[in-house]
Amino acid sequence: MAPFPSPVTLGRTGLSVGPLAVSGGYGADAPTLRKAFERGVNYWYHGSLRKPGMTQAIREIVQAGQREKLVLVLQSYSRSAMLLEYTFAKGLKQLGTEYADVLLLGWHNGTPSARILDRATKLKERGLVRHLAISGHHRPSFVEFAKDPRLGILHIRYNAAHPGAEKDVFPAMPKENRPGIVAYTATSWGKLFDPGKMPRGEAVPRGRDAYRFVLSNPDFNVCMTGPKDAAQMDEALAALDDGPLSAEEMARMRKIGAQVHG
């Protein structure tokens, strides 16, 4: 199969990003993350667990004058507008940058409160953030989120064991002016690699297969990865070269996912 395209456009934000994204919360060190950055992995999620590896790598990228190539995502789970702004500003100062490309409003299973959206919008108006994103676990809510022009990016749980977005979200999503769509938990928190959960006779899939499953779905622009070390990052990067799953590979991953979910 041909490799996945790089870069891609992240929906109506117009951001140019690699199809793989990376979270720094699982332990990958700065050299590993810098290597991924050089491969075009530029959508960086610096979430609640702001580990030193990603902190260091971001500071190095900023100091090297490459800040504009990085799409920096800072997340807040706060339901307090004041605390949201405080932790966001603290994150910018820690990283040595004047703005984040994305502020991710974390784990909202319905429309966030007016005070949260107002404060996030004001941060955008002040130039401290360029785009707003939202994540959650209630899939039907994303249909409504997609209609809100303030929300440019949706983070949706999706993997071979949890493919429900295929029927609960995308059939009702607008065809034009869609938000950017990012998948998280592509490995189902590692359950897709549990030998004890495999169907009889099936080998455990590789990490790249979980990421290829997501990226083979054209409704997703980006797939999040969470490497703990260089080996896991290399395995994720291999998905870019291997390209979309074949029909046979897709059927196998769906079979494994159904067993893991069941």
Side-chain angles (χ1 to χ4, degrees):
M1 304 291 287
F4 287 108
S6 185
V8 298
T9 300
L10 189 54
R12 63 192 179 208
T13 69
L15 291 169
S16 181
V17 296
L20 278 182
V22 65
S23 168
Y26 295 89
D29 62 17
T32 295
L33 295 170
R34 290 293 302 274
K35 177 182 176 181
F37 181 69
E38 296 302 322
R39 277 291 310 271
V41 179
N42 68 329
Y43 190 88
W44 283 27
Y45 168 78
H46 205 36
S48 300
L49 296 175
R50 296 176 181 173
K51 294 292 185 72
M54 180 165 276
T55 297
Q56 178 184 340
I58 291 171
R59 292 184 68 89
E60 290 173 356
I61 288 169
V62 172
Q63 292 167 4
Q66 296 180 300
R67 173 66 183 87
E68 288 299 320
K69 295 181 180 180
L70 179 67
V71 177
L72 172 62
V73 184
L74 293 183
Q75 178 178 260
S76 175
Y77 286 117
S78 178
R79 268 48 178 174
S80 159
M82 183 179 297
L83 188 59
L84 180 150
E85 181 169 354
Y86 172 77
T87 57
F88 177 77
K90 183 178 179 181
L92 293 182
K93 183 177 181 180
Q94 179 189 40
L95 297 171
T97 183
E98 296 179 350
Y99 69 95
D101 298 276
V102 180
L103 169 57
L104 175 58
L105 305 177
W107 204 331
H108 287 271
N109 291 330
T111 302
S113 68
R115 63 183 182 277
I116 289 293
L117 281 173
D118 287 348
R119 187 63 60 94
T121 300
K122 288 178 181 178
L123 291 173
K124 185 177 178 181
E125 292 170 350
R126 289 163 55 192
L128 298 176
V129 63
R130 293 180 172 178
H131 303 279
L132 301 182
I134 193 166
S135 71
H137 289 280
H138 184 243
R139 290 190 295 265
S141 292
F142 287 101
V143 177
E144 297 305 313
F145 295 157
K147 299 174 184 177
D148 191 331
R150 295 170 294 184
L151 300 173
I153 303 166
L154 309 182
H155 279 231
I156 302 175
R157 181 180 68 167
Y158 180 76
N159 55 64
H162 298 91
E166 294 172 0
K167 62 181 179 63
D168 294 336
V169 179
F170 296 117
M173 193 75 76
K175 301 299 182 183
E176 303 294 334
N177 196 35
R178 276 193 178 190
I181 308 292
V182 178
Y184 66 95
T185 67
T187 69
S188 191
W189 297 280
K191 294 177 184 177
L192 289 170
F193 311 136
D194 183 347
K197 295 183 180 293
M198 293 300 105
R200 186 180 299 274
E202 286 289 351
V204 176
R206 300 170 298 180
R208 70 188 70 179
D209 298 326
Y211 302 125
R212 291 171 67 208
F213 176 87
V214 174
L215 292 175
S216 294
N217 184 334
D219 283 311
F220 285 94
N221 305 122
V222 173
C223 178
M224 187 69 64
T225 68
K228 69 177 182 180
D229 54 31
Q232 288 191 356
M233 189 74 255
D234 286 343
E235 180 66 19
L237 291 171
L240 297 177
D241 297 325
D242 288 356
L245 295 175
S246 67
E248 182 179 358
E249 290 172 321
M250 178 63 74
R252 174 174 177 262
M253 286 300 295
R254 288 191 183 278
K255 179 181 178 182
I256 290 171
Q259 176 79 6
V260 169
H261 186 270

